[in-house]
Amino acid sequence: MWVNRAQQVRLAGFCVTRFMTQNPVRALRLILGDQLTDTVSSLQGLDPDSDLVLMVELAAETGYVRHHPKKIVLILAAMRHFAEALRRRGVRVEYVRLEAAENTGSFSGEVARAVDRFQPEKLIVTEPGEWRVLEMMRDWQEALDVPVEVRSDDRFLCSLDAFAGWAEGRKQLRMEYFYREMRRKAGLLLDADGKPEGGAWNFDSENRKSLPKDLRPPDRLWFDPDPVTEEVIALVSDRFQDHFGDVEGFGYAVTRDQALAALDAFLGDCLPSFGDYQDAMKKDAPFLYHGLISAYLNVGLLTPLEVCQAAERAYRNGDAPLNAVEGFIRQILGWREYVRGLYWLKMPDYAGTNFFAADRDLPDFYWSGDTDMTCLAQSIEQTRNHAYAHHIQRLMVTGCFALLIGADPVQVNRWYLEVYVDAFEWVELPNTHGMALFADGGVMASKPYAASGKYIDRMSDYCAHCKYDVKQNTGPDACPFNALYWRFMENNRPLLSNNPRMGMPYRTWAKMADEKRAAILQTADAFLDRL
Ligand code: FAD
Ligand code: DLZ
Ligand code: SF4
């Protein structure tokens, strides 16, 4: 009988299932789509003779928001490769595909079905990345009448208990102090006396250069899809074609080896310039010197510690300067761990925060990219193409605009969760509500990241390609960010004027002539009306 590759994989799955029904299962170990790490805690102590790994592709997970198709491809293809790698090592894996007729479509449904079929003595799982999934897990022990062991996720360098301990009794939960403790704890970038390498914890001020005009950023390493990934691409093209984003040109890593190769390419080609140009933006240059590794970290193909150690090695070997390596490590050891701690400390209330009572609908162009504002058009277009925008685009372009127009945080949060390849609520929500929108009222940031067009002009070449004039504040040709900035400040005066970090802009505003202020506010209102 001739069978194609897809049939081979299905037959293999069928045989494994038949085999397993004949063997008693001691521990059923559930691996979620963002737990694709050999050393993940739920796999620790695995006995290949008696344990069974369960992995499930789910309608509920592919559909709880309308994820970018490239994100779905990455997760499902990485899951299928991970399952195959486990099987090659002799681990018994029950893998349920999205299209399987018997698939109930949810974690709870598939775990119940597996418990029913395999009658395990216990269920082992690593704590999930999202609150809503933990809520489901809380019911399992009672509903399924099987002991459920939820293990902590030790891929993160700061446990949830350790973060709660750090936060306890502090008036302000500023990342910088958390980061210093994490540097000491992880022993990264310390000198022989345990002091910060280079005499300072933070070289942020050296991370803000604008790009020289003729600089050409390096080409990036992409991966041709193999038959397993091709099959997932076909599935996703078929089922999720109405989601925002293009599936064509998928080239993300879906195995650990590929992710390691991508990391290596970044370390060699980009890390040396990462620090200098971390905040820069350039038209038609979506990636610049950024890592492009957040999705690999978030699904588990790379671990944060190994990435930070590799960057530190580059510094010690003289391959990358300190401002680059410290800046990069700060993002992972500092920001990434910090937002995760904050998420779990503040959920579930955090998702409902709305400090400014913002309620404007997110403009349609966030989905279509159809806007004359070059900064937004570029950020949204590359998001559609690659499911990627770098931090400053997310924060100071799409995020800042949403803040200035008073967009509803729930809609903004949903947008970020849907459109980025690396989006998982534990990391996306604090970045959106805390950093971009100040919806949490200052838990995360000491002031809103509100800015006029001047910031974008300083950090990019977007304004030079824009229909609007970044130097003008009023009239139809004025950069919308300028007038919107002052409208935001004026609208939120009662909430912000006592913030010591907002004193300067309010003083500048007060010094302007009345007619100028009125013209600016009128320009903002006319723009908002058209929106
Ligand atoms: P690099 O610039 O190369 O940075 C290296 C790594 O540091 C990243 O891969 C990431 O793991 C980590 N990192 C950097 N900044 C942050 C941060 N603020 N918080 C947490 N980790 C960080 N990141 C996500 O992983 N998932 C998200 O859903 C997400 N949503 C965001 C939403 C908003 C509104 C904002 C402002 C930021 C968001 N970020 C998110 C953080 C950051 O923008 C991305 O991690 C980064 O752009 C990923 O690209 P990179 O791998 O090239 O990062
Ligand atoms: C994001 C995602 C998607 C799109 N699909 C699946 C899936 O089919 N099966 C699965 O186990 N996980 C998936 N995930 C990741 C989960 O949403 C993630 O594990 C939870 O949100 C917990 O962080
Ligand atoms: Fe964006 Fe204003 Fe610059 Fe245009 S002029 S690119 S709208 S900041």
Side-chain angles (χ1 to χ4, degrees):
M1 178 175 68
W2 290 101
V3 289
N4 64 25
R5 169 78 193 158
Q7 288 165 325
Q8 274 173 15
V9 174
R10 269 198 293 276
L11 283 170
F14 176 72
C15 295
V16 170
T17 309
R18 285 294 300 271
F19 166 77
M20 284 184 302
T21 52
Q22 292 154 14
N23 290 273
V25 170
R26 195 179 60 86
L28 181 66
R29 294 166 184 267
L30 174 67
I31 299 288
L32 311 186
D34 53 359
Q35 298 180 342
L36 309 179
T37 315
D38 282 349
T39 54
V40 70
S41 56
S42 53
L43 289 181
Q44 290 168 18
L46 177 138
D47 180 347
D49 293 329
S50 62
D51 294 354
L52 175 66
V53 169
L54 174 67
M55 295 179 70
V56 286
E57 296 178 3
L58 299 168
E61 294 308 302
T62 54
Y64 76 92
V65 292
R66 292 160 58 86
H67 308 279
H68 194 296
K70 282 200 168 86
K71 174 182 175 188
I72 305 179
V73 172
L74 191 151
I75 292 170
L76 299 192
M79 284 176 69
R80 290 184 185 193
H81 282 96
F82 187 77
E84 278 310 302
L86 286 178
R87 282 180 183 142
R88 277 198 299 274
R89 285 170 32 205
V91 176
R92 297 160 65 193
V93 181
E94 171 68 0
Y95 192 96
V96 183
R97 285 171 168 244
L98 194 60
E99 63 276 35
E102 62 280 15
N103 188 337
T104 55
S106 71
F107 279 126
S108 295
E110 283 311 280
V111 168
R113 214 161 58 81
V115 167
D116 187 43
R117 272 178 306 157
F118 300 109
Q119 302 286 312
E121 286 169 27
K122 63 175 169 178
L123 173 66
I124 300 177
V125 62
T126 293
E127 60 195 358
E130 300 194 348
W131 178 267
R132 67 184 174 89
V133 181
L134 185 66
E135 289 279 271
M136 288 178 213
M137 286 181 180
R138 287 195 174 122
D139 293 338
W140 289 351
Q141 180 146 322
E142 204 180 311
L144 305 175
D145 196 20
V146 66
V148 178
E149 185 183 332
V150 181
R151 296 182 174 175
S152 88
D153 191 343
D154 58 13
R155 297 173 300 171
F156 288 93
L157 298 156
C158 182
S159 71
L160 299 179
D161 284 347
F163 189 87
W166 173 79
E168 201 176 333
R170 278 174 199 264
K171 273 207 188 111
Q172 293 185 322
L173 303 180
R174 295 290 169 252
M175 196 289 292
E176 183 59 30
Y177 300 107
F178 170 78
Y179 166 58
R180 291 177 192 182
E181 280 195 22
M182 291 302 291
R183 282 270 296 279
R184 286 196 200 95
K185 205 164 123 187
L188 284 161
L189 290 183
L190 300 179
D191 66 17
D193 301 325
K195 300 254 161 47
E197 190 71 27
W201 291 106
N202 184 317
F203 293 86
D204 200 21
S205 58
E206 294 175 38
N207 296 152
R208 295 180 194 141
K209 284 195 189 150
S210 48
L211 284 166
K213 234 189 183 128
D214 44 4
L215 196 85
R216 190 176 171 274
D219 291 333
R220 308 307 295 247
L221 181 62
W222 299 109
F223 303 89
D224 287 336
D226 68 359
V228 174
T229 305
E230 288 286 10
E231 199 185 356
V232 175
I233 291 173
L235 174 76
V236 170
S237 310
D238 188 40
R239 275 179 83 132
F240 306 102
Q241 71 212 194
D242 58 337
H243 288 199
F244 167 87
D246 302 328
V247 77
E248 290 77 28
F250 181 88
Y252 284 111
V254 292
T255 65
R256 175 157 167 80
D257 284 349
Q258 289 178 341
L260 285 170
L263 174 64
D264 255 10
F266 162 75
L267 293 171
D269 300 341
C270 303
L271 181 62
S273 299
F274 175 88
D276 285 352
Y277 304 126
Q278 195 176 335
D279 287 3
M281 298 174 279
K282 186 175 165 68
K283 195 165 175 310
D284 301 325
F287 313 120
L288 294 174
Y289 296 91
H290 288 273
L292 281 182
I293 55 161
S294 44
Y296 310 150
L297 283 166
N298 295 352
V299 302
L301 296 180
L302 298 174
T303 62
L305 184 60
E306 72 182 346
V307 171
C308 291
Q309 286 173 337
E312 183 181 35
R313 260 194 315 277
Y315 167 68
R316 304 263 177 227
N317 293 341
D319 296 331
L322 186 55
N323 76 321
V325 173
E326 186 282 318
F328 183 70
I329 288 179
R330 183 172 2 113
Q331 305 312 313
I332 297 171
L333 186 67
W335 282 112
R336 188 171 184 274
E337 298 285 331
Y338 167 85
V339 298
R340 186 224 183 204
L342 201 69
Y343 174 82
W344 286 104
L345 193 69
K346 299 290 178 188
M347 280 298 277
D349 296 346
Y350 202 79
T353 52
N354 189 356
F355 183 65
F356 295 122
D359 60 0
R360 186 181 297 276
D361 286 339
L362 199 63
D364 285 346
F365 69 72
Y366 272 72
W367 302 107
S368 68
D370 188 10
T371 166
D372 291 331
M373 292 176 276
T374 300
C375 52
L376 282 153
Q378 164 78 41
S379 303
I380 293 164
E381 185 56 21
Q382 71 174 68
T383 299
R384 184 207 308 285
N385 291 339
H386 306 289
Y388 178 85
H390 70 67
H391 185 66
I392 295 300
Q393 294 174 303
R394 297 187 205 194
L395 181 62
M396 299 308 293
V397 180
T398 45
C400 180
F401 189 80
L403 169 74
L404 297 184
I405 64 167
D408 170 8
V410 170
Q411 292 184 37
V412 181
N413 178 51
R414 200 180 170 90
W415 186 80
Y416 279 101
L417 202 51
E418 293 191 3
V419 303
Y420 290 112
V421 67
D422 54 26
F424 293 88
E425 196 184 68
W426 65 265
V427 51
E428 178 275 334
L429 181 67
N431 270 297
T432 304
H433 275 225
M435 209 188 288
L437 299 181
F438 204 75
D440 67 2
V443 174
M444 191 166 165
S446 54
K447 71 175 186 63
Y449 281 87
S452 68
K454 209 192 250 177
Y455 175 85
I456 294 177
D457 192 32
R458 193 168 65 242
M459 296 317 304
S460 78
D461 63 355
Y462 294 158
C463 304
H465 295 92
C466 189
K467 157 189 154 154
Y468 295 103
D469 183 350
V470 72
K471 301 249 160 17
Q472 285 190 44
N473 289 326
T474 55
D477 296 334
C479 164
F481 278 78
N482 294 343
L484 289 173
Y485 171 75
W486 290 117
R487 172 41 92 199
F488 167 82
M489 294 292 290
E490 188 56 24
N491 282 356
N492 297 301
R493 179 188 288 278
L495 292 168
L496 295 176
S497 57
N498 287 336
N499 182 326
R501 297 198 63 201
M502 302 302 278
M504 177 114 100
Y506 278 116
R507 281 193 294 278
T508 309
W509 181 237
K511 277 190 213 143
M512 278 185 212
D514 287 350
E515 311 80 71
K516 190 172 171 188
R517 280 205 302 258
I520 289 176
L521 295 181
Q522 206 175 38
T523 299
D525 292 343
F527 179 84
L528 288 169
D529 282 349
R530 285 199 304 277
L531 212 62

